[in-house]
Short mmCIF file of all heavy atoms in Angstrom, two decimals:
data_model
loop_
_atom_site.label_atom_id
_atom_site.label_comp_id
_atom_site.label_asym_id
_atom_site.label_seq_id
_atom_site.Cartn_x
_atom_site.Cartn_y
_atom_site.Cartn_z
N ASN G 199 -15.25 88.42 -57.17
CA ASN G 199 -15.91 89.10 -56.04
C ASN G 199 -17.36 89.25 -56.30
O ASN G 199 -18.30 89.17 -55.49
CB ASN G 199 -15.22 90.54 -55.85
CG ASN G 199 -15.70 91.17 -54.55
OD1 ASN G 199 -15.74 90.49 -53.50
ND2 ASN G 199 -15.99 92.45 -54.60
N GLY G 200 -17.67 89.55 -57.62
CA GLY G 200 -19.06 89.70 -58.03
C GLY G 200 -19.89 88.41 -57.92
O GLY G 200 -21.16 88.41 -57.88
N LEU G 201 -19.16 87.30 -57.96
CA LEU G 201 -19.86 86.01 -57.94
C LEU G 201 -20.45 85.71 -56.47
O LEU G 201 -21.27 84.84 -56.28
CB LEU G 201 -19.03 84.85 -58.31
CG LEU G 201 -18.69 84.70 -59.72
CD1 LEU G 201 -17.73 83.52 -60.00
CD2 LEU G 201 -19.98 84.42 -60.57
N LYS G 202 -19.96 86.49 -55.52
CA LYS G 202 -20.39 86.28 -54.10
C LYS G 202 -21.93 86.14 -53.97
O LYS G 202 -22.40 85.33 -53.26
CB LYS G 202 -19.87 87.37 -53.29
CG LYS G 202 -18.44 87.15 -52.70
CD LYS G 202 -18.19 88.35 -51.72
CE LYS G 202 -16.66 88.42 -51.43
NZ LYS G 202 -16.45 89.74 -50.82
N ASP G 203 -22.59 87.02 -54.67
CA ASP G 203 -24.10 87.03 -54.51
C ASP G 203 -24.77 86.07 -55.51
O ASP G 203 -25.99 86.03 -55.54
CB ASP G 203 -24.60 88.46 -54.68
CG ASP G 203 -24.06 89.39 -53.57
OD1 ASP G 203 -23.83 88.93 -52.54
OD2 ASP G 203 -23.92 90.56 -53.88
N HIS G 204 -23.98 85.31 -56.22
CA HIS G 204 -24.50 84.35 -57.16
C HIS G 204 -25.15 83.13 -56.41
O HIS G 204 -24.61 82.76 -55.41
CB HIS G 204 -23.46 83.97 -58.12
CG HIS G 204 -23.96 83.31 -59.37
ND1 HIS G 204 -24.47 82.06 -59.33
CD2 HIS G 204 -24.17 83.76 -60.62
CE1 HIS G 204 -24.93 81.75 -60.64
NE2 HIS G 204 -24.73 82.84 -61.38
N GLU G 205 -26.27 82.72 -56.92
CA GLU G 205 -26.89 81.53 -56.40
C GLU G 205 -25.87 80.42 -56.44
O GLU G 205 -25.17 80.19 -57.44
CB GLU G 205 -28.02 81.06 -57.25
CG GLU G 205 -29.33 81.84 -56.90
CD GLU G 205 -30.37 81.29 -57.81
OE1 GLU G 205 -30.71 80.12 -57.68
OE2 GLU G 205 -31.02 82.10 -58.47
N GLY G 206 -25.79 79.67 -55.35
CA GLY G 206 -24.88 78.52 -55.26
C GLY G 206 -23.41 78.90 -54.93
O GLY G 206 -22.66 78.00 -54.95
N PHE G 207 -23.18 80.13 -54.62
CA PHE G 207 -21.90 80.50 -54.26
C PHE G 207 -21.49 80.09 -52.85
O PHE G 207 -22.31 80.02 -51.88
CB PHE G 207 -21.69 82.01 -54.30
CG PHE G 207 -20.37 82.50 -53.78
CD1 PHE G 207 -19.31 82.54 -54.70
CD2 PHE G 207 -20.14 82.86 -52.47
CE1 PHE G 207 -17.99 82.99 -54.23
CE2 PHE G 207 -18.88 83.28 -52.02
CZ PHE G 207 -17.87 83.35 -52.95
N SER G 208 -20.25 79.62 -52.68
CA SER G 208 -19.70 79.33 -51.35
C SER G 208 -18.31 79.61 -51.36
O SER G 208 -17.51 79.01 -52.08
CB SER G 208 -19.98 77.82 -51.05
OG SER G 208 -19.06 77.44 -50.01
N GLY G 209 -17.91 80.53 -50.51
CA GLY G 209 -16.49 80.85 -50.41
C GLY G 209 -15.64 79.87 -49.66
O GLY G 209 -14.45 79.93 -49.71
N ASN G 210 -16.27 78.98 -48.94
CA ASN G 210 -15.55 78.04 -48.16
C ASN G 210 -15.19 76.73 -48.91
O ASN G 210 -15.75 76.48 -50.00
CB ASN G 210 -16.38 77.61 -46.88
CG ASN G 210 -16.76 78.93 -46.13
OD1 ASN G 210 -15.95 79.82 -46.12
ND2 ASN G 210 -17.92 78.85 -45.60
N ILE G 211 -14.38 75.97 -48.26
CA ILE G 211 -14.10 74.69 -48.87
C ILE G 211 -15.31 73.77 -48.66
O ILE G 211 -15.77 73.58 -47.61
CB ILE G 211 -12.96 74.06 -48.19
CG1 ILE G 211 -11.73 75.02 -48.08
CG2 ILE G 211 -12.50 72.79 -48.89
CD1 ILE G 211 -10.75 74.62 -47.08
N PRO G 212 -15.84 73.27 -49.74
CA PRO G 212 -17.03 72.37 -49.62
C PRO G 212 -16.56 71.01 -49.15
O PRO G 212 -15.82 70.23 -49.85
CB PRO G 212 -17.58 72.35 -51.09
CG PRO G 212 -16.41 72.65 -51.94
CD PRO G 212 -15.46 73.48 -51.13
N LYS G 213 -17.00 70.69 -47.96
CA LYS G 213 -16.70 69.33 -47.51
C LYS G 213 -17.40 68.29 -48.38
O LYS G 213 -16.87 67.44 -48.99
CB LYS G 213 -17.17 69.10 -46.02
CG LYS G 213 -16.35 69.96 -45.04
CD LYS G 213 -16.87 69.74 -43.61
CE LYS G 213 -16.11 70.71 -42.70
NZ LYS G 213 -16.77 70.63 -41.31
N THR G 214 -18.71 68.47 -48.39
CA THR G 214 -19.52 67.58 -49.35
C THR G 214 -20.24 68.57 -50.20
O THR G 214 -20.88 69.52 -49.72
CB THR G 214 -20.47 66.69 -48.57
OG1 THR G 214 -21.22 67.56 -47.65
CG2 THR G 214 -19.76 65.66 -47.74
N ILE G 215 -20.18 68.24 -51.47
CA ILE G 215 -20.82 69.15 -52.41
C ILE G 215 -22.31 68.92 -52.33
O ILE G 215 -22.87 67.91 -52.87
CB ILE G 215 -20.25 68.93 -53.83
CG1 ILE G 215 -18.83 69.30 -53.89
CG2 ILE G 215 -21.10 69.83 -54.89
CD1 ILE G 215 -18.21 68.81 -55.20
N GLY G 216 -23.02 69.76 -51.62
CA GLY G 216 -24.47 69.57 -51.51
C GLY G 216 -25.22 70.30 -52.50
O GLY G 216 -24.96 71.44 -52.78
N GLY G 217 -26.27 69.68 -53.07
CA GLY G 217 -27.11 70.40 -53.96
C GLY G 217 -28.07 71.31 -53.27
O GLY G 217 -29.10 70.85 -52.74
N LYS G 218 -27.73 72.52 -53.15
CA LYS G 218 -28.52 73.40 -52.42
C LYS G 218 -29.19 74.47 -53.25
O LYS G 218 -29.50 75.58 -52.75
CB LYS G 218 -27.74 74.14 -51.28
CG LYS G 218 -26.73 75.06 -51.72
CD LYS G 218 -26.37 76.12 -50.70
CE LYS G 218 -25.64 77.31 -51.29
NZ LYS G 218 -25.54 78.38 -50.30
N SER G 219 -29.27 74.23 -54.60
CA SER G 219 -29.84 75.15 -55.43
C SER G 219 -31.40 75.22 -55.19
O SER G 219 -31.99 74.12 -55.12
CB SER G 219 -29.61 74.81 -56.85
OG SER G 219 -30.27 73.64 -57.19
N ASP G 220 -31.86 76.39 -55.01
CA ASP G 220 -33.26 76.48 -54.63
C ASP G 220 -34.01 77.33 -55.64
O ASP G 220 -34.16 78.59 -55.43
CB ASP G 220 -33.39 77.05 -53.22
CG ASP G 220 -32.45 78.24 -53.07
OD1 ASP G 220 -31.78 78.60 -54.02
OD2 ASP G 220 -32.49 78.96 -52.09
N ASP G 221 -34.40 76.79 -56.73
CA ASP G 221 -35.23 77.58 -57.58
C ASP G 221 -36.46 76.84 -58.13
O ASP G 221 -36.69 75.76 -57.73
CB ASP G 221 -34.45 77.93 -58.87
CG ASP G 221 -33.77 76.76 -59.49
OD1 ASP G 221 -33.49 75.77 -58.79
OD2 ASP G 221 -33.54 76.80 -60.72
#
Side-chain angles (χ1 to χ4, degrees):
Chain G
N199 193 44
L201 282 178
K202 273 188 199 161
D203 295 330
H204 197 281
E205 279 182 57
F207 176 87
S208 158
N210 305 326
I211 311 162
K213 291 177 187 175
T214 52
I215 300 171
K218 70 157 197 171
S219 68
D220 46 0
D221 55 332

